[in-house]
């Protein structure tokens, strides 16, 4: 069938989480989780930016991760809340493509930043004497910049590939946001090339960072094993616990999304996996880093004391 979007699509219909009797509960639940996500990650960013003790590569990457998590959640949840509030399930064609672009962008950034943070952990544990030299501000900034460029190009590629597809005049998406694999599967034109690009990009952009995390932690385990004292081993391993927890949570959600993707019917398992990936993981990240990290606890306390002092002065 001829490719190209010859049929003008005015809007897509989002059917995920659309049960009428559950709308008030869903609205309240997702609004609460969204506000907790934004507030928690903003606290992390403010604590890091206001405390000179936290101006290190590790917390520089963490502040970037928190910013990306806010943007990632904001890509899908506000539109869903708006639709529930206005009793409307539609999203425009342009809005759907835009949402898909930013969803891929910030999801990919999450993945790469976790890999960069794993490398930072490796340098800190295995090369502590050269840490400040290796993880220079220039290198940290360059790693973040390269991450943004790579995922932006990847998102642009997928968006352009979807634009070449044609759809039926009225498309119902069995999800609460515009997800790439759903759009590709629902196209009425040939989507073979889209599937090839999608799976190739998933291996490259998903498997690459994951392989980097595995390599970094294999080196970290090797270095910890060489430490003679049990206290030294515990101290070295404890610095990785927060990051490992976030990595496990992130890839557990990604695996759920991958296993439940590719179905063109409403699947509660797919929706639950997507909620874990887009909402729950970004919401829990600040708690994991603040509860397991003494430096972050102190930074948050100093931020709180600064706000009290300012209130007393004014």
């Amino acid at each position: 069938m001829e490719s190209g979007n010859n049929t003008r699509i005015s809007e897509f219909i989002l059917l995920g989480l659309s049960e009428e009797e559950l709308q008030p509960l869903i609205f309240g639940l997702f609004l609460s989780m969204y506000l907790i996500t934004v507030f928690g990650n903003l606290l992390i960013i403010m604590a890091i930016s206001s405390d000179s003790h936290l101006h290190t590569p590790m917390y520089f990457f963490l502040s970037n991760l928190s910013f990306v998590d806010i943007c990632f959640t904001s890509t899908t949840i506000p539109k869903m809340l708006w639709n529930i509030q206005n009793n409307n399930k539609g999203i425009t064609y342009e809005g759907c493509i835009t949402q898909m672009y930013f969803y891929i962008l910030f999801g990919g950034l999450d993945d790469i930043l976790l890999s960069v943070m794993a490398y930072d952990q490796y340098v800190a544990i295995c090369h502590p004497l050269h840490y400040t030299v290796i993880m220079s501000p220039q290198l940290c900034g360059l790693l973040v910049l390269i991450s943004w460029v790579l995922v932006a190009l990847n998102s642009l590629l997928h968006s352009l590939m979807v634009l070449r597809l044609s759809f039926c005049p009225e498309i119902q998406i069995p999800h609460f946001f515009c997800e790439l694999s759903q759009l590709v599967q629902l196209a009425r034109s040939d989507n073979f090339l889209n599937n090839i690009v999608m799976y190739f990009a998933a291996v490259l952009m998903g498997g690459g960072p994951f392989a980097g995390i595995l390599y970094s932690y294999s080196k970290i385990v090797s270095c910890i094993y060489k430490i003679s004292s049990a206290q030294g081993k515990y101290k070295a391993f404890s610095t990785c616990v927060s990051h490992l927890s976030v990595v496990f949570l992130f890839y557990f959600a990604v695996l759920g999304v991958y296993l439940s993707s590719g179905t063109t019917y409403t699947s509660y398992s797919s929706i639950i996996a997507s909620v874990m990936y887009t909402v729950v993981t970004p919401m829990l990240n600040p708690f994991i880093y603040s509860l397991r990290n003494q430096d972050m606890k102190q930074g948050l306390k100093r931020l709180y004391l600064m706000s009290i002092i300012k209130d007393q002065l004014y």
Side-chain angles (χ1 to χ4, degrees):
M1 188 173 288
E2 185 182 15
S3 64
N5 200 3
N6 298 323
T7 305
R8 179 62 180 172
I9 311 295
S10 59
E11 68 174 6
F12 293 98
I13 307 300
L14 301 173
L15 298 179
L17 300 174
S18 59
E19 294 82 354
E20 293 293 334
E21 65 277 7
L22 297 178
Q23 292 301 285
L25 175 63
I26 292 172
F27 182 86
L29 180 62
F30 275 82
L31 178 61
S32 301
M33 290 193 295
Y34 178 66
L35 293 177
I36 292 172
T37 301
V38 173
F39 182 69
N41 283 287
L42 275 178
L43 275 180
I44 296 291
I45 295 172
M46 293 170 61
I48 292 173
S49 60
S50 63
D51 191 343
S52 59
H53 296 89
L54 300 179
H55 292 176
T56 62
M58 172 185 172
Y59 295 108
F60 170 71
F61 295 132
L62 178 57
S63 62
N64 277 273
L65 182 67
S66 294
F67 172 74
V68 169
D69 280 341
I70 293 173
C71 297
F72 186 42
T73 308
S74 299
T75 302
T76 56
I77 303 306
K79 175 58 180 174
M80 188 192 74
L81 296 175
W82 174 266
N83 281 3
I84 293 175
Q85 185 67 21
N86 292 274
N87 196 25
N88 177 25
K89 301 175 185 177
I91 182 172
T92 64
Y93 175 77
E94 293 80 6
C96 189
I97 299 299
T98 303
Q99 186 183 69
M100 183 195 70
Y101 173 85
F102 285 108
Y103 178 81
I104 299 171
L105 175 73
F106 294 119
L109 274 171
D110 255 343
D111 194 11
I112 295 181
L113 283 175
L114 288 175
S115 179
V116 171
M117 293 172 76
Y119 174 73
D120 175 70
Q121 295 276 10
Y122 155 69
V123 176
I125 293 174
C126 298
H127 304 283
L129 298 178
H130 301 94
Y131 178 74
T132 55
V133 176
I134 297 174
M135 300 304 296
S136 63
Q138 293 80 9
L139 178 62
C140 294
L142 182 62
L143 288 173
V144 172
L145 177 62
I146 291 174
S147 301
W148 275 90
V149 171
L150 286 176
V151 295
L153 291 175
N154 179 54
S155 301
L156 182 62
L157 173 63
H158 285 301
S159 300
L160 293 176
M161 292 296 294
V162 171
L163 286 173
R164 63 180 285 276
L165 297 175
S166 60
F167 299 89
C168 295
E170 183 177 336
I171 292 292
Q172 295 182 341
I173 302 175
H175 228 309
F176 63 93
F177 65 94
C178 293
E179 200 262 335
L180 174 63
S181 62
Q182 295 282 347
L183 288 176
V184 171
Q185 297 303 320
L186 290 169
R188 67 167 187 164
S189 56
D190 183 21
N191 59 11
F192 176 76
L193 184 59
N194 290 75
N195 283 316
I196 294 296
V197 172
M198 186 168 59
Y199 292 127
F200 178 77
V203 171
L204 187 64
M205 300 299 294
F210 183 65
I213 292 173
L214 290 179
Y215 176 79
S216 295
Y217 273 102
S218 67
K219 292 292 186 180
I220 289 172
V221 170
S222 177
C223 290
I224 292 177
Y225 181 75
K226 294 176 183 178
I227 299 175
S228 56
S229 67
Q231 185 179 0
K233 290 181 178 180
Y234 174 79
K235 185 178 179 180
F237 178 75
S238 63
T239 61
C240 305
V241 172
S242 296
H243 182 259
L244 275 173
S245 301
V246 172
V247 167
F248 175 79
L249 186 62
F250 178 83
Y251 281 103
F252 176 77
V254 168
L255 181 64
V257 171
Y258 175 76
L259 293 177
S260 59
S261 65
T263 58
T264 56
Y265 53 87
T266 303
S267 170
Y268 284 105
S269 61
S270 176
I271 292 174
I272 291 171
S274 296
V275 169
M276 284 288 297
Y277 179 53
T278 59
V279 187
V280 177
T281 301
M283 181 182 69
L284 293 180
N285 285 354
F287 293 99
I288 293 173
Y289 273 101
S290 59
L291 294 176
R292 299 288 308 181
N293 190 300
Q294 291 298 324
D295 291 335
M296 276 306 309
K297 285 182 180 179
Q298 294 299 321
L300 290 170
K301 287 179 181 178
R302 281 189 283 267
L303 179 65
Y304 176 69
L305 291 174
M306 286 173 57
S307 65
I308 293 177
I309 293 171
K310 286 182 179 179
D311 290 340
Q312 291 177 347
L313 291 175
Y314 296 101

